[in-house]
């Protein structure tokens, strides 16, 4: 047994309102971390510690906590379910070893469930599933299983089935031990009552037990032999095989319950220990050795140089920046100096803390495989790699989607101006999907984010938490632009600056890339044709110019830039000259590339009673929407469409009006498309 075998780093992921935070609260209660149960509906959930989270009843920031169960340490990150806070999910998944996907027994696989599931897939995170809310009207356990197969393209392995449904839901049947489990509600479900399977449930239990064994027999010859011979299959062998299949991303074990009614949570905690990986069960994470410019493996071991990733920054009024760090190898002691590989600076870990939502306990040391908060880093930002100067490894940075909506914000009084800028700087450090830009014509600050709720939460924080007096404009769409044809352009830069001659010449090739590719800069020149500092200066100039647009003044996207040629003249060619040549060259070339204006198109999912489907589809069509599918669920119809963001302002009010307040919708960014009008 390795030194990491008793450690789990897991995340709770799901659609909004599937019961993530409630389930996490129950886990904390049963593991003894909380002495009372916090309810989301009462605004008392431990993990929803921000004032806004309690007021709105949603999770906004990914909260981290640690609990202990059966001699194991579980680091849990409870992530937001609302699509506007997708960055919180993205950066959490980047550092997790396993995840629990929670699905509503009524809603099934909802849009954001799909999004976070596929995000987890991109990071190769092993998952188990928990189908929650089986006590609700319209709950259908097996319909959710079918949706998982269909929408998530995963292979569910049913480990527990419900006893009854809706108001008759009273417990679960464990298919591995073939027992019925019920919970004593007098002590909030702490006492589990286990017994033999009742005669009326025997046939169903045997059917799903056989299906489970058949599925597992394709992963274990031993199980296949015992099954064919009709012999008893040990529970330990079943669990071992399930664990291997989960870590290999082949199966998704499914458990069930109703967290709010304290049913099914302890078996879920057991499943986290039994089936989700320890840090050293997974392949070594890959990084780039900066000194030697080659890819290296970073094995999970304490006896190695320190390598970690800053995956979240949170501002604290007293302590300053709290840097959430996942350490992949080595160890870090309190007071020790580490090297920030991205910033090329030394940083001191003044304090190391184990977080429990917004409370903390102090640690003397952080070791490989663990997650903790470091206080004292001045330069660190989300995505920075930390390590030692002797072994400088840059881990793959976390990528975030582009902001799609903007508002103008300005201080109410001149004296509040600096305070507003300082506050915005803090918030951009915390949230990589929140950006600021100053409008050069009006002097206004333009802040951009992932959606109306995202910006609303940020503005509330500016006004309430940071107590800055500010005025806010109406939301505006964040347009982008690109080019529609390839261009080759030569920029000759020649100026007299401060009495000194400065000259540079660059030839840039611009190519339009497919939507979603992002911007790219590359050079075919070696160090002999152009010194490294001048090449870097051209890159800086080009990337800087990309932010100010090609023809409409909006940031450019999906453009490939190649530095094809450069003329370096000894004595008068400087990095400053090459940076200016790169910026001016890109501007001129982009204008010749027939710039096109791009607008964000949103993926819209509307859930409506069947009698309003026609009105909902008609309304989306008038907004320029394209209807992709219509699916029937037990209680609602699901309309899936794509609509330009500019047409979606005020949609929630319109939807309430045409459906008598009975429909809901979810919206997330899909892609940028050429603006039609």
């Amino acid at each position: 047994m390795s030194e990491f075998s008793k450690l789990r780093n897991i995340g709770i992921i799901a659609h909004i309102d599937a019961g993530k935070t409630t389930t996490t609260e129950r886990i904390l209660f049963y593991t003894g971390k909380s002495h009372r149960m916090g309810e989301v509906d009462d605004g008392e959930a431990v993990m929803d510690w921000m004032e806004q989270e309690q007021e709105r009843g949603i999770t906004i920031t990914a909260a981290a906590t640690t609990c202990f169960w059966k001699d194991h340490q579980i680091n849990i990150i409870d992530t937001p379910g609302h699509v506007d806070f997708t960055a919180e999910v993205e950066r959490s998944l980047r550092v997790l070893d396993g995840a629990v996907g929670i699905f509503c027994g009524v809603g099934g696989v909802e849009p954001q469930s799909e999004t976070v599931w596929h995000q987890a897939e991109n990071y190769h995170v092993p998952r188990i599933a928990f189908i929650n809310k089986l006590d609700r009207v319209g709950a259908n356990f097996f319909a959710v299983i079918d949706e998982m197969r269909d929408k998530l393209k995963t292979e569910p392995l049913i480990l527990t089935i419900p006893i009854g449904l809706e108001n008759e839901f009273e417990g679960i049947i464990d298919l591995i031990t073939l027992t019925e489990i019920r919970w004593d509600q007098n002590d909030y479900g702490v006492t589990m009552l286990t017994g033999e399977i009742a005669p009326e449930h025997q046939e169903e239990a045997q059917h799903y037990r056989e299906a489970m064994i058949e599925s597992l027999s394709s992963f274990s010859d031993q199980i296949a032999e015992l099954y064919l011979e009709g012999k008893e299959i040990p529970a330990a062998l079943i669990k071992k095989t399930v664990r291997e299949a989960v870590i290999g991303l082949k199966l998704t074990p499914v458990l069930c319950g109703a967290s709010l009614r304290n049913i099914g949570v302890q078996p879920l905690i057991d499943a986290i220990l039994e089936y989700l990986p320890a840090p050293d069960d997974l392949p070594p994470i890959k990084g780039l050795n900066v000194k030697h410019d080659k890819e290296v493996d970073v094995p999970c071991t304490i006896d190695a140089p320190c390598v970690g990733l800053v995956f979240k920054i949170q501002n604290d009024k007293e302590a300053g920046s709290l840097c959430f760090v996942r350490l992949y190898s080595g160890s870090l002691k309190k007071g020790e100096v580490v090297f920030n590989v991205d910033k090329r600076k030394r940083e001191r870990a003044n304090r190391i803390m184990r977080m429990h939502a917004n409370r903390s306990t102090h640690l003397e040391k952080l070791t490989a495989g663990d997650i903790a908060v470091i206080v004292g880093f001045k330069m660190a930002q989300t995505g920075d790699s930390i390590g030692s100067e002797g072994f400088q490894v840059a881990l793959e940075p976390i990528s975030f989607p582009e902001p799609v909506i903007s508002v103008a914000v300005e201080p109410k009084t001149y004296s509040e101006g600096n305070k507003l800028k300082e506050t915005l700087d803090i918030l951009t450090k915390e949230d990589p999907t929140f950006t600021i830009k100053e409008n050069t014509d009006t002097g206004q600050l333009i802040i951009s984010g992932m959606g109306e709720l995202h910006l609303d939460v940020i503005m509330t924080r500016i006004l309430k938490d940071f107590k800055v007096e500010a005025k806010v404009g109406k939301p505006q769409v964040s347009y982008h632009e690109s080019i529609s044809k390839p261009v080759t352009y030569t920029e000759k830069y020649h100026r007299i600056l401060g009495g000194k001659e400065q000259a540079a010449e660059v030839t840039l090739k611009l190519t339009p890339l497919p939507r979603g590719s992002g911007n790219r800069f590359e050079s075919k020149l070696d160090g002999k044709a152009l010194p490294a500092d001048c090449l870097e200066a051209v890159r800086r100039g080009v990337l800087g110019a990309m932010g100010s647009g090609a023809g409409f003044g909006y940031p450019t996207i999906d453009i490939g830039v190649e530095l094809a040629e450069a003329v370096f003249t000894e004595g008068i060619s400087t990095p400053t000259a090459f940076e200016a040549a790169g910026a001016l060259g890109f501007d001129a070339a982009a204008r010749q590339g027939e710039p096109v204006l791009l607008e964000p198109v949103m993926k819209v999912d509307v859930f409506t009673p069947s009698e309003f489907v026609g009105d909902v589809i008609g309304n989306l069509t008038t907004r320029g929407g394209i209807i992709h599918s219509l699916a029937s669920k037990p209680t609602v119809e699901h309309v899936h469409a794509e609509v330009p963001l500019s047409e979606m302002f005020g949609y929630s009010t319109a939807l309430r009006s045409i459906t008598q307040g009975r429909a809901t919708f979810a919206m997330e960014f899909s892609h940028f498309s050429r603006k039609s009008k």
Side-chain angles (χ1 to χ4, degrees):
M1 190 177 282
S2 79
E3 57 200 316
F4 303 105
S5 61
K6 303 236 166 152
L7 176 62
R8 300 288 181 274
N9 295 309
I10 66 139
I12 311 284
I13 59 173
H15 187 87
I16 192 168
D17 277 346
K20 290 182 309 304
T21 302
T22 302
T23 304
T24 309
E25 295 292 325
R26 296 303 184 269
I27 291 172
L28 296 181
F29 180 75
Y30 296 131
T31 56
K33 190 71 188 180
S34 296
H35 300 294
R36 56 186 292 276
M37 286 188 182
E39 302 295 359
V40 177
D41 295 345
D42 301 337
E44 293 181 356
V46 174
M47 299 301 279
D48 283 351
W49 57 270
M50 283 174 66
E51 185 184 335
Q52 286 198 69
E53 293 179 314
Q54 293 165 357
E55 286 174 1
R56 297 171 189 261
I58 60 169
T59 303
I60 292 168
T61 180
T65 190
T66 300
C67 59
F68 296 87
W69 181 255
K70 295 184 178 175
D71 209 22
H72 284 65
Q73 175 186 326
I74 309 174
N75 293 328
I76 304 175
I77 296 182
D78 172 29
T79 63
H82 198 286
V83 70
D84 281 17
F85 309 107
T86 188
E88 291 288 332
V89 183
E90 193 82 34
R91 59 180 164 191
S92 301
L93 287 169
R94 174 69 174 76
V95 297
L96 294 173
D97 300 324
V100 178
I102 297 188
F103 301 94
C104 173
V106 181
V109 179
E110 295 165 288
Q112 185 64 0
S113 306
E114 282 187 73
T115 303
V116 292
W117 192 268
H118 294 312
Q119 280 175 316
E121 219 153 66
N122 291 340
Y123 288 115
H124 307 294
V125 178
R127 280 141 288 162
I128 60 178
F130 180 68
I131 297 178
N132 190 26
K133 300 191 177 185
L134 291 176
D135 57 328
R136 294 282 184 90
V137 175
N140 188 329
F141 175 74
F142 296 107
V144 181
I145 297 286
D146 291 340
E147 278 197 31
M148 286 179 67
R149 275 198 194 92
D150 182 41
K151 292 185 176 179
L152 305 179
K153 304 294 183 264
T154 188
E155 190 50 53
L157 181 75
I158 301 172
L159 299 185
T160 65
I161 58 173
I163 303 171
L165 281 174
E166 300 181 337
N167 61 350
E168 293 176 5
F169 179 54
E170 55 186 74
I172 65 170
I173 293 173
D174 185 329
L175 298 177
I176 296 177
T177 59
L178 281 177
T179 53
E180 288 190 353
I181 308 172
R182 288 173 175 78
W183 279 261
D184 186 347
Q185 297 303 326
N186 294 319
D187 61 2
Y188 302 104
V190 171
T191 304
M192 292 167 58
L193 309 165
T194 305
E196 290 185 5
I197 297 175
E200 62 269 26
H201 301 141
Q202 283 280 0
E203 190 180 331
E204 185 185 32
Q206 283 299 338
H207 170 74
Y208 287 105
R209 158 91 177 187
E210 281 204 19
M212 176 187 75
I213 298 298
E214 272 183 37
S215 186
L216 289 175
S217 62
S218 60
F219 297 96
S220 165
D221 292 340
Q222 210 177 338
I223 288 180
E225 282 174 32
L226 291 170
Y227 178 56
L228 290 171
E229 291 167 10
K231 292 181 180 174
E232 186 64 32
I233 300 168
L237 176 60
I238 293 174
K239 289 176 181 178
K240 176 176 173 286
T241 307
V242 173
R243 181 180 179 79
E244 287 168 359
V246 170
I247 293 172
L249 304 173
K250 302 282 196 318
L251 288 176
T252 304
V254 182
L255 297 96
C256 63
S259 298
L260 196 61
R261 280 187 50 202
N262 314 315
I263 297 175
V265 178
Q266 292 96 324
L268 176 62
I269 311 173
D270 288 337
I272 289 168
L273 306 187
E274 284 160 352
Y275 310 129
L276 290 180
D280 61 343
D281 285 329
L282 298 170
I285 190 166
K286 297 200 177 294
L288 180 73
N289 188 316
V290 176
K291 281 190 171 178
H292 302 109
D293 194 27
K294 68 173 186 180
E295 194 175 71
V296 292
D297 285 341
V298 181
C300 184
T301 172
I302 293 171
D303 304 320
C306 165
V307 176
L309 183 76
V310 178
F311 68 94
K312 176 179 165 71
I313 304 278
Q314 190 172 297
N315 185 65
D316 184 89
K317 287 175 186 172
E318 290 159 17
S321 286
L322 304 180
C323 296
F324 287 71
V325 173
R326 162 73 193 262
L327 208 62
Y328 287 97
S329 80
S331 61
L332 176 61
K333 289 179 184 168
K334 184 176 79 172
E336 218 168 31
V337 172
V338 291
F339 190 71
N340 185 322
V341 179
D342 295 83
K343 299 292 184 293
R344 326 285 290 170
K345 299 279 184 187
R346 294 188 188 97
E347 299 260 39
R348 185 180 296 278
N350 294 336
R351 281 187 284 159
I352 302 174
M353 302 189 297
R354 173 94 61 219
M355 293 304 289
H356 176 48
N358 64 334
R359 300 197 301 278
S360 61
T361 52
H362 291 270
L363 298 174
E364 290 300 313
K365 185 163 85 166
L366 174 62
T367 55
D370 210 346
I371 290 172
V373 164
I374 294 175
V375 178
F377 288 176
K378 301 275 194 300
M379 313 283 294
Q381 287 181 291
T382 298
D384 282 0
S385 302
I386 61 166
S388 61
E389 283 188 72
F391 187 58
Q392 295 180 23
V393 174
L395 301 173
E396 186 187 343
I398 309 166
S399 58
F400 296 108
E402 289 275 337
V404 295
I405 187 169
S406 307
V407 295
V409 58
E410 57 186 48
K412 278 190 178 174
T413 60
Y414 182 77
S415 59
E416 290 282 289
N418 287 338
K419 194 175 173 185
L420 176 61
K421 283 191 176 177
E422 284 169 19
T423 300
L424 292 174
D425 286 342
I426 289 169
L427 291 171
T428 51
K429 205 174 175 187
E430 281 190 14
D431 185 350
T433 57
F434 170 60
T435 61
I436 319 164
K437 187 180 173 187
E438 191 162 351
N439 187 316
T440 48
D441 297 329
T442 64
Q444 280 182 316
L445 290 169
I446 308 296
I447 61 173
S448 305
M450 298 307 298
E452 287 184 86
L453 178 62
H454 186 200
L455 289 183
D456 187 28
V457 165
I458 282 170
M459 282 314 306
T460 306
R461 287 193 68 193
I462 291 169
L463 301 171
K464 282 190 172 181
D465 297 358
F466 292 92
K467 308 219 168 4
V468 178
E469 296 285 321
K471 294 183 286 189
V472 191
K474 288 184 178 176
Q476 304 288 326
V477 174
S478 291
Y479 292 104
H480 283 55
E481 51 184 289
S482 192
I483 58 173
S484 56
K485 71 170 190 179
V487 178
T488 301
Y489 181 83
T490 300
E491 175 69 32
K492 295 179 181 179
Y493 178 85
H494 191 268
R495 298 277 194 285
I496 305 294
L497 297 173
K500 289 185 179 179
E501 189 178 2
Q502 304 247 12
E505 183 178 319
V506 295
T507 300
L508 302 175
K509 286 184 179 178
L510 272 61
T511 312
L513 300 176
R515 291 290 159 261
S517 303
N519 291 323
R520 290 183 203 152
F521 176 88
E522 58 184 1
S523 170
K524 294 288 193 288
L525 306 181
D526 58 20
K528 291 176 185 173
L530 190 64
D533 57 348
C534 292
L535 173 59
E536 185 54 37
V538 177
R539 179 196 301 274
R540 275 199 312 273
V542 168
L543 295 180
M546 284 175 167
S548 55
F552 306 98
Y554 296 106
T556 55
I557 58 169
D558 304 333
I559 299 178
V561 180
E562 182 195 325
L563 176 58
E565 292 175 37
V567 177
F568 180 84
T569 309
E570 198 69 49
I572 58 172
S573 286
T574 63
T576 305
F578 273 101
E579 186 170 345
L584 293 168
F586 176 83
D587 281 346
R591 283 195 293 274
Q592 290 181 14
E594 295 180 3
V596 290
L597 189 60
L598 305 173
E599 66 177 339
V601 174
M602 310 303 283
K603 189 170 81 175
V604 179
D605 291 274
V606 184
F607 301 89
T608 175
S610 54
E611 60 263 38
F612 303 114
V613 165
D615 292 335
V616 167
I617 289 174
N619 185 270
L620 287 172
T621 307
T622 60
R623 292 170 182 266
I626 298 167
I627 310 298
H628 285 299
S629 64
L630 177 63
S632 293
K633 293 202 166 195
T635 54
V636 290
E637 300 292 320
H638 176 190
V639 180
H640 177 60
E642 281 184 355
V643 191
L645 174 62
S646 56
E647 300 294 329
M648 288 301 290
F649 290 131
Y651 182 65
S652 54
T653 306
L655 184 65
R656 275 198 300 271
S657 171
I658 60 178
T659 63
Q660 298 169 16
R662 292 169 62 195
T664 59
F665 81 103
M667 180 171 74
E668 68 176 294
F669 172 71
S670 172
H671 62 278
F672 278 98
S673 178
R674 192 165 180 168
K675 188 165 169 58
S676 54
K677 57 180 178 179

